[in-house]
Amino acid sequence: MTTRVRFAPAPTGFLHVGSARSALFNWLYAESTGGEMILRIEDTDAALRKPEFIDAIVKPLTALGITWAEGPYYQSQRKQFHVDAVEQLVQSGHAYYCNLTRDAADALASDAGLPSGYHGWSRDKGIEDGPDCVVRFRTPDEGEIVIHDIIRGEVRFKNAELEDFVIRRSDGSPTFLVANAVDDADMGITHVIRGEDLLNTTPKVMLLWDALDLGDKPQYAHLPLLVNAQRKKLSKRRDDVSLMEFLSKGYLPEAMVNHLALLGWGPPDDKEIRPIGEIIELFKLENVNKGSAFFDVTKLDHINGEYIRALPVERFIELAEPFVYGVDTDIPWDAANYDPEVFAMVAPDVQQRVSTLAEIPHFIAWLFMDEVPYDLESKAWNKAMRKGKMTPEILDGILSAFGDVEWTGDAMNAAVGEVGDRLEARSQVPARVAITGTNAGIPLWDAAATIDREIVLQRLRAARALL
RNA sequence: GCCCCCAUCGUCCAGCGGCCUAGGACGCCUGCCUUUCACGCAGGUAACACGGGUUCGAAUCCCGUUGGGGGUGCCA
């Protein structure tokens, strides 16, 4: 039997990295077993039915290279099947109408000294359907339901502890629990792979499955949650988790996928950074961890840096475009000053110094700005310009040498070296700080030779004046 | 409160009863390379939560404790 998995997000705005990880693991499982994945949008709640939310799911998945064989299907478009299923459950006595609001049910519970929750108040009351009625599923009073989870092993729930949950809202719309069972059955889903936060809903779906007589159940696998530094489930509200945001900040899709694959799973040979094809080959659902994983951007930065350095330089230049032309980010220089040929020249040096594409402008800004800012409070300035008392003499020396030096990297370098030798001081770093504004960066002189002599002289004078 | 899940370096992953004086990666530190920084290279730091079992033998199996997390909606 070929495996069929589904990625079934609720359309609640941008896709976050946790959902992306779920999608990825479904996809990895499908790819590694020669099966297929379908995409299904779980929009049974009317509030979630917004077309822009669909784009927010499809675009990032596509960007990551996660593909699906069918869909997107919309649960909202399958509503009639779900309504029929609810009707069937009422008919067969598995479900009943209830006209209590949540507040009323809680009040009854507290009056009766029972723990909060719904205690089957409307069971067997012969309540007729009406405008304010919901339909609740009658959970068995005895017995237990056992999930054979591929990742977690056996998980047991006592039926008596499951309350009679709502399967149809008072507006007539069935809830996702019904839709889940019906759609998974109709779509021939063999494996349900999703976050651990849904583990508690699984017994309810299984109960519905049996009551509707839907046949063989899928196998379940509940993935460990992705958490923040406080070990809380990643949340859109408090954490920086938009997948698209990461991509537009200069993280490469391949690096993102590689990093995500490493959260909750690892290759048996300890080789972490590798092509997706190898990951598919090695991926085993049963080897996925149980413990939650911290989404560590520091590690992502490293992986992303590795991927960037591995790029052919032409590709690097291509990918850099939005960042050097200010399409998605601000650039610190006047756009008219930007020279793609200069960037192409220094690109290999930049490429091995950035961990995200967004860092590119930082390394080349001094090539396209008229003046560079000096941060007199910075460690760079203090270390290079203040500590050595020869600095004014060094800059004066360079200034006079640069008046008529041949304007090539080699000649400039040699001239600065001579100044240093003559004064018995290190002249390179002060020159770099004066010209670029900082003490760290790409090889200096060939790049500096692309700037007009007068601009370089101005910077040297400006820095000299601050000493 | 109740239900469920989890527990190896700060972080991610390896370990599936003897190969473990616990391995790799990120981070951090040191050194080498280098006219800066980075890359690269060579080292270092650092963990089996605790207590009981089971076993000739436990990071690995079982129970408990503690700690963390998830759920507890007419959201999914």
Side-chain angles (χ1 to χ4, degrees):
Chain A
M1 186 175 63
T2 100
T3 54
R4 276 177 60 93
V5 299
R6 43 51 160 207
F7 175 53
T12 55
F14 65 81
L15 189 78
H16 79 79
V17 292
S19 306
R21 205 272 305 242
S22 290
L24 175 64
F25 277 41
N26 271 282
W27 182 80
L28 285 173
Y29 185 67
E31 293 290 313
S32 67
T33 56
E36 45 199 28
M37 178 170 100
I38 69 170
L39 176 60
R40 185 174 76 213
I41 309 297
E42 309 235 309
D43 57 350
T44 65
D45 190 26
L48 301 179
R49 233 160 284 148
K50 296 197 180 140
E52 63 268 30
F53 286 172
I54 306 308
D55 227 32
I57 291 169
V58 168
K59 271 175 63 183
L61 289 179
T62 305
L64 291 182
I66 295 175
T67 54
W68 52 94
E70 295 168 25
Y73 293 116
Y74 298 88
Q75 284 193 323
S76 56
Q77 291 178 358
R78 296 179 43 82
K79 182 174 177 182
Q80 192 55 48
F81 297 115
H82 312 145
V83 169
D84 292 346
V86 170
E87 178 60 23
Q88 185 187 331
L89 290 168
V90 173
Q91 292 300 321
S92 61
H94 286 290
Y96 57 89
Y97 298 107
C98 168
N99 54 11
L100 293 172
T101 62
R102 186 77 212 176
D103 285 349
D106 284 344
L108 284 171
S110 92
D111 289 351
L114 290 165
S116 74
Y118 186 83
H119 296 275
W121 311 110
S122 302
R123 277 190 184 187
D124 305 317
K125 293 277 168 58
I127 296 169
E128 299 280 313
D129 199 3
D132 293 322
C133 277
V134 299
V135 178
R136 286 180 182 272
F137 183 79
R138 177 195 293 262
T139 59
D141 298 325
E142 292 174 353
E144 63 175 9
I145 192 128
V146 183
I147 303 169
H148 298 276
D149 192 284
I150 295 171
I151 294 169
R152 277 152 222 285
E154 279 189 6
V155 183
R156 293 162 183 277
F157 292 86
K158 290 186 177 56
N159 289 150
E161 265 142 15
L162 266 20
E163 70 172 36
D164 286 357
F165 53 92
V166 172
I167 59 175
R168 193 208 71 186
R169 306 180 184 93
S170 53
D171 68 1
S173 63
T175 61
F176 91 108
L177 295 163
V178 186
N180 227 273
V182 169
D183 292 354
D184 282 345
D186 281 357
M187 296 176 187
I189 300 304
T190 60
H191 299 263
V192 173
I193 303 166
R194 26 119 92 142
E196 195 205 323
D197 50 345
L198 292 167
L199 184 54
N200 293 302
T201 70
T202 305
K204 296 177 184 175
V205 173
M206 290 172 81
L207 248 17
L208 288 170
W209 197 284
D210 286 337
L212 289 165
D213 200 18
L214 295 173
D216 288 344
K217 296 188 192 74
Q219 283 198 266
Y220 287 91
H222 287 92
L223 268 16
L225 260 18
L226 257 37
V227 299
N228 62 20
Q230 288 72 239
R231 302 250 124 215
K232 304 275 193 211
K233 180 170 78 155
L234 249 29
S235 127
K236 291 184 180 181
R237 273 194 57 196
R238 67 177 165 239
D239 304 310
D240 240 4
V241 290
S242 162
L243 198 276
M244 270 315 198
E245 187 99 345
F246 276 102
L247 297 186
S248 66
K249 280 194 294 196
Y251 290 92
L252 306 187
E254 296 83 357
M256 200 69 207
V257 164
N258 200 144
H259 182 238
L260 252 17
L262 261 14
L263 297 175
W265 175 84
D269 60 4
D270 281 340
K271 190 183 162 203
E272 295 189 321
I273 297 179
R274 66 201 315 164
I276 188 66
E278 286 182 28
I279 292 175
I280 290 168
E281 216 165 291
L282 294 167
F283 184 79
K284 293 263 185 305
L285 194 52
E286 55 271 31
N287 288 349
V288 171
N289 286 161
K290 301 183 180 89
S292 52
F294 171 47
F295 183 80
D296 188 356
V297 178
T298 306
K299 177 85 175 245
L300 208 211
D301 282 340
H302 172 257
I303 293 175
N304 202 54
E306 294 275 330
Y307 272 83
I308 286 177
R309 270 171 253 127
L311 251 23
V313 66
E314 312 78 55
R315 180 68 182 146
F316 173 69
I317 291 169
E318 228 173 271
L319 291 172
E321 274 187 17
F323 299 91
V324 296
Y325 287 107
V327 176
D328 287 330
T329 49
D330 291 336
I331 45 170
W333 55 79
D334 184 337
N337 286 355
Y338 178 70
D339 182 346
E341 279 181 38
V342 170
F343 177 57
M345 185 187 105
V346 299
D349 294 322
V350 175
Q351 188 176 359
Q352 63 175 359
R353 285 170 175 76
V354 295
S355 57
T356 71
L357 299 173
E359 292 166 24
I360 293 171
H362 169 74
F363 283 94
I364 60 172
W366 62 278
L367 292 164
F368 308 120
M369 297 194 299
D370 293 329
E371 298 174 351
V372 292
Y374 302 110
D375 180 358
L376 304 195
E377 305 302 313
S378 70
K379 243 167 66 185
W381 181 274
N382 282 299
K383 202 174 155 200
M385 308 302 260
R386 290 212 178 132
K387 289 283 162 61
K389 46 188 189 302
M390 296 295 283
T391 308
E393 290 79 357
I394 292 168
L395 292 187
D396 286 338
I398 296 172
L399 228 18
S400 71
F402 273 17
D404 57 1
V405 73
E406 188 195 351
W407 205 241
T408 65
D410 284 347
M412 294 158 82
N413 183 23
V416 170
E418 275 168 34
V419 171
D421 289 347
R422 179 158 42 82
L423 298 170
E424 290 180 349
R426 284 168 54 87
S427 55
Q428 293 286 343
V429 174
R432 174 182 289 277
V433 172
I435 296 169
T436 73
T438 178
N439 66 342
I442 59 175
L444 184 61
W445 296 115
D446 284 340
T450 67
I451 308 175
D452 288 346
R453 185 190 303 259
E454 193 45 43
I455 289 179
V456 170
L457 292 176
Q458 269 171 27
R459 288 184 196 173
L460 288 164
R461 278 185 225 111
R464 172 68 182 86
L466 292 168
L467 294 173

